[in-house]
DNA sequence: GGAGTAGCTTAGTCACGGTTAAGTATTCTA
DNA sequence: TAGAATACTTAACCGTGACTAAGCTACTCC
């Protein structure tokens, strides 16, 4: 049994940890967290099962880290945008940003709102808080862009609807990337503008 | 230990089977299929665990039936609409129908596209076929309503995006029912019209 | 060149939960 | 009123899969 361990000082540029996270994301997206075993993840990474525990406390904490990262990433991007342009002008670039993310990270999108229930309570809490902050920025941006008074709860529901629209990428089939991006942007703008 | 079995000849009007299906749907929606035990379902129904096996072959087949029912129900409603009005005029009523469904069945919506992976392969196949037929009707309706030639794959992606928009009801918070219905209809129409 | 450490291995252990077995009470039917 | 059918009960089984233990190898850094 010839092993080529060590012949790969860091094959890609991702740390082992990130590599596992990425591999696990694809597996979770395809089969669901509960249906993927620790051995599955190991095998897909070219190592065997329990090796995972040298990088993560548990299967659940791996999931937790994955989900928290996504939420943090989206939130930080939204904050950056709002820092660069005024709140009232932030909506379009945020739509563009979110569409890019959804198109380029279909697996993460799927896992994110399918397997959150499988994460630890504390991680769920953290993810929900981050999401909530993210939604707040969108809501504030929509409100800031309108002169008339809007019902905040209605805007919130509308923002969630737009997320639903954009996050449909896992079902979008094999459309050319730029065609999909342009389609989703157009639809998202039209939908939120109709409120 | 006093049992009131039999003092309830058919408490509601649902058969035991339907009652279990409904209870399980709520539990699955809240915790996810994999996190709900057979005992949980039994307890919530006032019976104990294995009683379930007098009504279903397995936990998985219960899920399968639940998912297939949803898909069948949506498809049959779409077919009814198309039978009543012309294909080109079917879109608005279909949006209204789908919105009503999504608003009134949040649990089912959640389970439907979160726990499909946990169903038997055969049930997954059936659900996907039904969904596909449902999407086809929408796509045909959109195409029929336009005089210019549309890219079918693009329309398909757009329809999925509208589903994502409408199916956001599990995240919509506590908005008045009619306000939510009207919001989602407006946004859906605007989104699909923008294509 | 030896020690630390990162990263892995295989061989278990152990709890959880779906499922089966076997038996009981109630209602329905001939 | 037998006895079939329905709907349940509790107790037990047992496969699966997360996780632990203990030990090996090969780099890196003084």
């Amino acid at each position: 049994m010839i092993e080529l361990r060590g012949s790969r000082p860091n094959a890609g540029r991702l740390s082992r940890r990130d590599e596992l996270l990425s591999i696990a994301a694809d597996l979770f997206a395809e089969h669901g967290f509960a249906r993927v075993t620790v051995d599955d993840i190991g095998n897909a990474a070219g190592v065997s099962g329990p090796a995972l525990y040298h990088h993560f406390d548990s299967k659940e904490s791996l999931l937790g880290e994955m989900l928290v990262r996504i939420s943090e990433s989206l939130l930080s991007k939204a904050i950056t945008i709002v820092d660069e342009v005024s709140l009232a002008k932030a909506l379009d670039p945020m739509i563009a940003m979110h569409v890019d993310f959804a198109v380029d990270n279909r697996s993460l999108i799927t896992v994110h709102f399918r397997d959150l229930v499988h994460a630890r309570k504390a991680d769920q809490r953290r993810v929900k808080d981050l999401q909530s902050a993210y939604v707040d920025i969108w809501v504030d941006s929509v409100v800031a862009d309108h002169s008339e008074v809007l019902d905040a709860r209605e805007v919130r529901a509308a923002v969630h609807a737009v997320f639903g629209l954009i996050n449909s990428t896992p079902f979008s089939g094999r459309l050319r990337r730029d065609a999909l991006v342009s389609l989703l942007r157009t639809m998202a703008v039209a939908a939120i503008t109709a409120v």
Side-chain angles (χ1 to χ4, degrees), chain A residues 16 47-48 54-55:
Chain A
R16 203 86 186 89
V47 298
S48 258
H54 279 266
H55 305 275

mmCIF file with all atom_site columns, all heavy atoms in Angstrom, chain A residues 16 47-48 54-55, chain C residues 7-11:
data_model
loop_
_atom_site.group_PDB
_atom_site.id
_atom_site.type_symbol
_atom_site.label_atom_id
_atom_site.label_alt_id
_atom_site.label_comp_id
_atom_site.label_asym_id
_atom_site.label_entity_id
_atom_site.label_seq_id
_atom_site.pdbx_PDB_ins_code
_atom_site.Cartn_x
_atom_site.Cartn_y
_atom_site.Cartn_z
_atom_site.occupancy
_atom_site.B_iso_or_equiv
_atom_site.pdbx_formal_charge
_atom_site.auth_seq_id
_atom_site.auth_comp_id
_atom_site.auth_asym_id
_atom_site.auth_atom_id
_atom_site.pdbx_PDB_model_num
ATOM 1   N N     . ARG A 1 16 ? -5.289  22.719 5.190  1.00 0.00 ? 16 ARG A N     1
ATOM 2   C CA    . ARG A 1 16 ? -6.029  21.463 5.310  1.00 0.00 ? 16 ARG A CA    1
ATOM 3   C C     . ARG A 1 16 ? -7.431  21.729 5.846  1.00 0.00 ? 16 ARG A C     1
ATOM 4   O O     . ARG A 1 16 ? -8.418  21.156 5.376  1.00 0.00 ? 16 ARG A O     1
ATOM 5   C CB    . ARG A 1 16 ? -5.279  20.535 6.279  1.00 0.00 ? 16 ARG A CB    1
ATOM 6   C CG    . ARG A 1 16 ? -5.602  19.093 6.078  1.00 0.00 ? 16 ARG A CG    1
ATOM 7   C CD    . ARG A 1 16 ? -4.701  18.481 4.999  1.00 0.00 ? 16 ARG A CD    1
ATOM 8   N NE    . ARG A 1 16 ? -5.085  17.117 4.672  1.00 0.00 ? 16 ARG A NE    1
ATOM 9   C CZ    . ARG A 1 16 ? -5.974  16.791 3.748  1.00 0.00 ? 16 ARG A CZ    1
ATOM 10  N NH1   . ARG A 1 16 ? -6.558  17.749 3.056  1.00 0.00 ? 16 ARG A NH1   1
ATOM 11  N NH2   . ARG A 1 16 ? -6.284  15.544 3.489  1.00 0.00 ? 16 ARG A NH2   1
ATOM 12  N N     . VAL A 1 47 ? -8.077  11.115 3.077  1.00 0.00 ? 47 VAL A N     1
ATOM 13  C CA    . VAL A 1 47 ? -7.610  10.602 4.370  1.00 0.00 ? 47 VAL A CA    1
ATOM 14  C C     . VAL A 1 47 ? -8.718  9.735  4.937  1.00 0.00 ? 47 VAL A C     1
ATOM 15  O O     . VAL A 1 47 ? -9.742  9.535  4.304  1.00 0.00 ? 47 VAL A O     1
ATOM 16  C CB    . VAL A 1 47 ? -7.289  11.743 5.351  1.00 0.00 ? 47 VAL A CB    1
ATOM 17  C CG1   . VAL A 1 47 ? -6.183  12.608 4.808  1.00 0.00 ? 47 VAL A CG1   1
ATOM 18  C CG2   . VAL A 1 47 ? -8.531  12.561 5.657  1.00 0.00 ? 47 VAL A CG2   1
ATOM 19  N N     . SER A 1 48 ? -8.536  9.254  6.122  1.00 0.00 ? 48 SER A N     1
ATOM 20  C CA    . SER A 1 48 ? -9.572  8.364  6.611  1.00 0.00 ? 48 SER A CA    1
ATOM 21  C C     . SER A 1 48 ? -10.263 8.903  7.861  1.00 0.00 ? 48 SER A C     1
ATOM 22  O O     . SER A 1 48 ? -9.614  9.375  8.786  1.00 0.00 ? 48 SER A O     1
ATOM 23  C CB    . SER A 1 48 ? -9.006  6.964  6.858  1.00 0.00 ? 48 SER A CB    1
ATOM 24  O OG    . SER A 1 48 ? -9.386  6.121  5.784  1.00 0.00 ? 48 SER A OG    1
ATOM 25  N N     . HIS A 1 54 ? -8.467  15.991 14.061 1.00 0.00 ? 54 HIS A N     1
ATOM 26  C CA    . HIS A 1 54 ? -7.252  16.770 14.286 1.00 0.00 ? 54 HIS A CA    1
ATOM 27  C C     . HIS A 1 54 ? -7.446  18.212 13.861 1.00 0.00 ? 54 HIS A C     1
ATOM 28  O O     . HIS A 1 54 ? -6.584  19.048 14.069 1.00 0.00 ? 54 HIS A O     1
ATOM 29  C CB    . HIS A 1 54 ? -6.073  16.146 13.541 1.00 0.00 ? 54 HIS A CB    1
ATOM 30  C CG    . HIS A 1 54 ? -5.476  15.000 14.254 1.00 0.00 ? 54 HIS A CG    1
ATOM 31  N ND1   . HIS A 1 54 ? -4.400  15.117 15.097 1.00 0.00 ? 54 HIS A ND1   1
ATOM 32  C CD2   . HIS A 1 54 ? -5.858  13.708 14.303 1.00 0.00 ? 54 HIS A CD2   1
ATOM 33  C CE1   . HIS A 1 54 ? -4.119  13.945 15.614 1.00 0.00 ? 54 HIS A CE1   1
ATOM 34  N NE2   . HIS A 1 54 ? -4.978  13.065 15.144 1.00 0.00 ? 54 HIS A NE2   1
ATOM 35  N N     . HIS A 1 55 ? -8.595  18.485 13.226 1.00 0.00 ? 55 HIS A N     1
ATOM 36  C CA    . HIS A 1 55 ? -8.854  19.834 12.722 1.00 0.00 ? 55 HIS A CA    1
ATOM 37  C C     . HIS A 1 55 ? -10.112 20.450 13.310 1.00 0.00 ? 55 HIS A C     1
ATOM 38  O O     . HIS A 1 55 ? -10.238 21.662 13.380 1.00 0.00 ? 55 HIS A O     1
ATOM 39  C CB    . HIS A 1 55 ? -8.963  19.799 11.200 1.00 0.00 ? 55 HIS A CB    1
ATOM 40  C CG    . HIS A 1 55 ? -7.780  19.190 10.525 1.00 0.00 ? 55 HIS A CG    1
ATOM 41  N ND1   . HIS A 1 55 ? -6.656  19.914 10.230 1.00 0.00 ? 55 HIS A ND1   1
ATOM 42  C CD2   . HIS A 1 55 ? -7.524  17.927 10.134 1.00 0.00 ? 55 HIS A CD2   1
ATOM 43  C CE1   . HIS A 1 55 ? -5.760  19.114 9.662  1.00 0.00 ? 55 HIS A CE1   1
ATOM 44  N NE2   . HIS A 1 55 ? -6.267  17.904 9.589  1.00 0.00 ? 55 HIS A NE2   1
ATOM 45  P P     . DG  C 2 7  ? -1.344  20.007 10.176 1.00 0.00 ? 7  DG  C P     1
ATOM 46  O OP1   . DG  C 2 7  ? -1.384  20.667 8.851  1.00 0.00 ? 7  DG  C OP1   1
ATOM 47  O OP2   . DG  C 2 7  ? -2.303  20.353 11.231 1.00 0.00 ? 7  DG  C OP2   1
ATOM 48  O "O5'" . DG  C 2 7  ? -1.399  18.453 9.942  1.00 0.00 ? 7  DG  C "O5'" 1
ATOM 49  C "C5'" . DG  C 2 7  ? -0.597  17.877 8.915  1.00 0.00 ? 7  DG  C "C5'" 1
ATOM 50  C "C4'" . DG  C 2 7  ? -0.844  16.405 8.934  1.00 0.00 ? 7  DG  C "C4'" 1
ATOM 51  O "O4'" . DG  C 2 7  ? -0.311  15.854 10.161 1.00 0.00 ? 7  DG  C "O4'" 1
ATOM 52  C "C3'" . DG  C 2 7  ? -2.333  16.054 8.938  1.00 0.00 ? 7  DG  C "C3'" 1
ATOM 53  O "O3'" . DG  C 2 7  ? -2.629  15.283 7.789  1.00 0.00 ? 7  DG  C "O3'" 1
ATOM 54  C "C2'" . DG  C 2 7  ? -2.538  15.277 10.235 1.00 0.00 ? 7  DG  C "C2'" 1
ATOM 55  C "C1'" . DG  C 2 7  ? -1.133  14.774 10.519 1.00 0.00 ? 7  DG  C "C1'" 1
ATOM 56  N N9    . DG  C 2 7  ? -0.902  14.402 11.895 1.00 0.00 ? 7  DG  C N9    1
ATOM 57  C C8    . DG  C 2 7  ? -1.325  15.062 13.020 1.00 0.00 ? 7  DG  C C8    1
ATOM 58  N N7    . DG  C 2 7  ? -0.988  14.461 14.130 1.00 0.00 ? 7  DG  C N7    1
ATOM 59  C C5    . DG  C 2 7  ? -0.292  13.338 13.709 1.00 0.00 ? 7  DG  C C5    1
ATOM 60  C C6    . DG  C 2 7  ? 0.318   12.293 14.468 1.00 0.00 ? 7  DG  C C6    1
ATOM 61  O O6    . DG  C 2 7  ? 0.362   12.170 15.692 1.00 0.00 ? 7  DG  C O6    1
ATOM 62  N N1    . DG  C 2 7  ? 0.913   11.343 13.640 1.00 0.00 ? 7  DG  C N1    1
ATOM 63  C C2    . DG  C 2 7  ? 0.921   11.398 12.273 1.00 0.00 ? 7  DG  C C2    1
ATOM 64  N N2    . DG  C 2 7  ? 1.536   10.405 11.640 1.00 0.00 ? 7  DG  C N2    1
ATOM 65  N N3    . DG  C 2 7  ? 0.352   12.361 11.547 1.00 0.00 ? 7  DG  C N3    1
ATOM 66  C C4    . DG  C 2 7  ? -0.228  13.286 12.339 1.00 0.00 ? 7  DG  C C4    1
ATOM 67  P P     . DC  C 2 8  ? -4.109  14.971 7.430  1.00 0.00 ? 8  DC  C P     1
ATOM 68  O OP1   . DC  C 2 8  ? -4.190  15.148 5.971  1.00 0.00 ? 8  DC  C OP1   1
ATOM 69  O OP2   . DC  C 2 8  ? -5.050  15.672 8.320  1.00 0.00 ? 8  DC  C OP2   1
ATOM 70  O "O5'" . DC  C 2 8  ? -4.177  13.408 7.774  1.00 0.00 ? 8  DC  C "O5'" 1
ATOM 71  C "C5'" . DC  C 2 8  ? -3.309  12.529 7.091  1.00 0.00 ? 8  DC  C "C5'" 1
ATOM 72  C "C4'" . DC  C 2 8  ? -2.901  11.360 7.940  1.00 0.00 ? 8  DC  C "C4'" 1
ATOM 73  O "O4'" . DC  C 2 8  ? -2.487  11.755 9.261  1.00 0.00 ? 8  DC  C "O4'" 1
ATOM 74  C "C3'" . DC  C 2 8  ? -3.956  10.321 8.265  1.00 0.00 ? 8  DC  C "C3'" 1
ATOM 75  O "O3'" . DC  C 2 8  ? -4.212  9.501  7.127  1.00 0.00 ? 8  DC  C "O3'" 1
ATOM 76  C "C2'" . DC  C 2 8  ? -3.252  9.525  9.360  1.00 0.00 ? 8  DC  C "C2'" 1
ATOM 77  C "C1'" . DC  C 2 8  ? -2.329  10.553 9.995  1.00 0.00 ? 8  DC  C "C1'" 1
ATOM 78  N N1    . DC  C 2 8  ? -2.602  10.813 11.429 1.00 0.00 ? 8  DC  C N1    1
ATOM 79  C C2    . DC  C 2 8  ? -2.126  9.915  12.375 1.00 0.00 ? 8  DC  C C2    1
ATOM 80  O O2    . DC  C 2 8  ? -1.512  8.905  11.991 1.00 0.00 ? 8  DC  C O2    1
ATOM 81  N N3    . DC  C 2 8  ? -2.358  10.130 13.698 1.00 0.00 ? 8  DC  C N3    1
ATOM 82  C C4    . DC  C 2 8  ? -3.033  11.222 14.066 1.00 0.00 ? 8  DC  C C4    1
ATOM 83  N N4    . DC  C 2 8  ? -3.234  11.423 15.373 1.00 0.00 ? 8  DC  C N4    1
ATOM 84  C C5    . DC  C 2 8  ? -3.534  12.171 13.125 1.00 0.00 ? 8  DC  C C5    1
ATOM 85  C C6    . DC  C 2 8  ? -3.304  11.929 11.820 1.00 0.00 ? 8  DC  C C6    1
ATOM 86  P P     . DT  C 2 9  ? -5.383  8.499  7.187  1.00 0.00 ? 9  DT  C P     1
ATOM 87  O OP1   . DT  C 2 9  ? -5.562  8.059  5.794  1.00 0.00 ? 9  DT  C OP1   1
ATOM 88  O OP2   . DT  C 2 9  ? -6.512  9.088  7.932  1.00 0.00 ? 9  DT  C OP2   1
ATOM 89  O "O5'" . DT  C 2 9  ? -4.817  7.276  8.057  1.00 0.00 ? 9  DT  C "O5'" 1
ATOM 90  C "C5'" . DT  C 2 9  ? -3.642  6.596  7.630  1.00 0.00 ? 9  DT  C "C5'" 1
ATOM 91  C "C4'" . DT  C 2 9  ? -3.350  5.495  8.624  1.00 0.00 ? 9  DT  C "C4'" 1
ATOM 92  O "O4'" . DT  C 2 9  ? -2.962  6.111  9.882  1.00 0.00 ? 9  DT  C "O4'" 1
ATOM 93  C "C3'" . DT  C 2 9  ? -4.555  4.641  8.957  1.00 0.00 ? 9  DT  C "C3'" 1
ATOM 94  O "O3'" . DT  C 2 9  ? -4.555  3.477  8.141  1.00 0.00 ? 9  DT  C "O3'" 1
ATOM 95  C "C2'" . DT  C 2 9  ? -4.344  4.258  10.424 1.00 0.00 ? 9  DT  C "C2'" 1
ATOM 96  C "C1'" . DT  C 2 9  ? -3.423  5.330  10.965 1.00 0.00 ? 9  DT  C "C1'" 1
ATOM 97  N N1    . DT  C 2 9  ? -4.077  6.264  11.937 1.00 0.00 ? 9  DT  C N1    1
ATOM 98  C C2    . DT  C 2 9  ? -3.998  5.961  13.274 1.00 0.00 ? 9  DT  C C2    1
ATOM 99  O O2    . DT  C 2 9  ? -3.452  4.965  13.707 1.00 0.00 ? 9  DT  C O2    1
ATOM 100 N N3    . DT  C 2 9  ? -4.598  6.867  14.101 1.00 0.00 ? 9  DT  C N3    1
ATOM 101 C C4    . DT  C 2 9  ? -5.251  8.040  13.738 1.00 0.00 ? 9  DT  C C4    1
ATOM 102 O O4    . DT  C 2 9  ? -5.740  8.780  14.583 1.00 0.00 ? 9  DT  C O4    1
ATOM 103 C C5    . DT  C 2 9  ? -5.303  8.279  12.318 1.00 0.00 ? 9  DT  C C5    1
ATOM 104 C C7    . DT  C 2 9  ? -5.996  9.500  11.803 1.00 0.00 ? 9  DT  C C7    1
ATOM 105 C C6    . DT  C 2 9  ? -4.718  7.389  11.493 1.00 0.00 ? 9  DT  C C6    1
ATOM 106 P P     . DT  C 2 10 ? -5.875  2.674  7.978  1.00 0.00 ? 10 DT  C P     1
ATOM 107 O OP1   . DT  C 2 10 ? -5.717  1.836  6.768  1.00 0.00 ? 10 DT  C OP1   1
ATOM 108 O OP2   . DT  C 2 10 ? -7.002  3.620  8.090  1.00 0.00 ? 10 DT  C OP2   1
ATOM 109 O "O5'" . DT  C 2 10 ? -5.911  1.727  9.263  1.00 0.00 ? 10 DT  C "O5'" 1
ATOM 110 C "C5'" . DT  C 2 10 ? -4.772  0.985  9.647  1.00 0.00 ? 10 DT  C "C5'" 1
ATOM 111 C "C4'" . DT  C 2 10 ? -5.021  0.335  10.997 1.00 0.00 ? 10 DT  C "C4'" 1
ATOM 112 O "O4'" . DT  C 2 10 ? -5.097  1.366  12.028 1.00 0.00 ? 10 DT  C "O4'" 1
ATOM 113 C "C3'" . DT  C 2 10 ? -6.320  -0.452 11.107 1.00 0.00 ? 10 DT  C "C3'" 1
ATOM 114 O "O3'" . DT  C 2 10 ? -6.081  -1.633 11.862 1.00 0.00 ? 10 DT  C "O3'" 1
ATOM 115 C "C2'" . DT  C 2 10 ? -7.268  0.498  11.830 1.00 0.00 ? 10 DT  C "C2'" 1
ATOM 116 C "C1'" . DT  C 2 10 ? -6.306  1.255  12.744 1.00 0.00 ? 10 DT  C "C1'" 1
ATOM 117 N N1    . DT  C 2 10 ? -6.753  2.648  13.069 1.00 0.00 ? 10 DT  C N1    1
ATOM 118 C C2    . DT  C 2 10 ? -6.787  3.040  14.376 1.00 0.00 ? 10 DT  C C2    1
ATOM 119 O O2    . DT  C 2 10 ? -6.485  2.329  15.300 1.00 0.00 ? 10 DT  C O2    1
ATOM 120 N N3    . DT  C 2 10 ? -7.200  4.332  14.566 1.00 0.00 ? 10 DT  C N3    1
ATOM 121 C C4    . DT  C 2 10 ? -7.564  5.243  13.598 1.00 0.00 ? 10 DT  C C4    1
ATOM 122 O O4    . DT  C 2 10 ? -7.905  6.375  13.900 1.00 0.00 ? 10 DT  C O4    1
ATOM 123 C C5    . DT  C 2 10 ? -7.498  4.755  12.243 1.00 0.00 ? 10 DT  C C5    1
ATOM 124 C C7    . DT  C 2 10 ? -7.876  5.656  11.123 1.00 0.00 ? 10 DT  C C7    1
ATOM 125 C C6    . DT  C 2 10 ? -7.110  3.501  12.039 1.00 0.00 ? 10 DT  C C6    1
ATOM 126 P P     . DA  C 2 11 ? -7.131  -2.772 11.941 1.00 0.00 ? 11 DA  C P     1
ATOM 127 O OP1   . DA  C 2 11 ? -6.414  -4.055 11.768 1.00 0.00 ? 11 DA  C OP1   1
ATOM 128 O OP2   . DA  C 2 11 ? -8.278  -2.442 11.092 1.00 0.00 ? 11 DA  C OP2   1
ATOM 129 O "O5'" . DA  C 2 11 ? -7.569  -2.646 13.470 1.00 0.00 ? 11 DA  C "O5'" 1
ATOM 130 C "C5'" . DA  C 2 11 ? -6.596  -2.462 14.481 1.00 0.00 ? 11 DA  C "C5'" 1
ATOM 131 C "C4'" . DA  C 2 11 ? -7.283  -2.239 15.810 1.00 0.00 ? 11 DA  C "C4'" 1
ATOM 132 O "O4'" . DA  C 2 11 ? -7.652  -0.842 15.938 1.00 0.00 ? 11 DA  C "O4'" 1
ATOM 133 C "C3'" . DA  C 2 11 ? -8.585  -3.028 15.978 1.00 0.00 ? 11 DA  C "C3'" 1
ATOM 134 O "O3'" . DA  C 2 11 ? -8.698  -3.453 17.337 1.00 0.00 ? 11 DA  C "O3'" 1
ATOM 135 C "C2'" . DA  C 2 11 ? -9.647  -2.007 15.610 1.00 0.00 ? 11 DA  C "C2'" 1
ATOM 136 C "C1'" . DA  C 2 11 ? -9.038  -0.744 16.192 1.00 0.00 ? 11 DA  C "C1'" 1
ATOM 137 N N9    . DA  C 2 11 ? -9.521  0.490  15.590 1.00 0.00 ? 11 DA  C N9    1
ATOM 138 C C8    . DA  C 2 11 ? -9.787  0.736  14.260 1.00 0.00 ? 11 DA  C C8    1
ATOM 139 N N7    . DA  C 2 11 ? -10.210 1.953  14.024 1.00 0.00 ? 11 DA  C N7    1
ATOM 140 C C5    . DA  C 2 11 ? -10.228 2.550  15.278 1.00 0.00 ? 11 DA  C C5    1
ATOM 141 C C6    . DA  C 2 11 ? -10.583 3.846  15.704 1.00 0.00 ? 11 DA  C C6    1
ATOM 142 N N6    . DA  C 2 11 ? -10.992 4.791  14.877 1.00 0.00 ? 11 DA  C N6    1
ATOM 143 N N1    . DA  C 2 11 ? -10.485 4.116  17.028 1.00 0.00 ? 11 DA  C N1    1
ATOM 144 C C2    . DA  C 2 11 ? -10.065 3.149  17.847 1.00 0.00 ? 11 DA  C C2    1
ATOM 145 N N3    . DA  C 2 11 ? -9.693  1.894  17.565 1.00 0.00 ? 11 DA  C N3    1
ATOM 146 C C4    . DA  C 2 11 ? -9.810  1.668  16.245 1.00 0.00 ? 11 DA  C C4    1
#
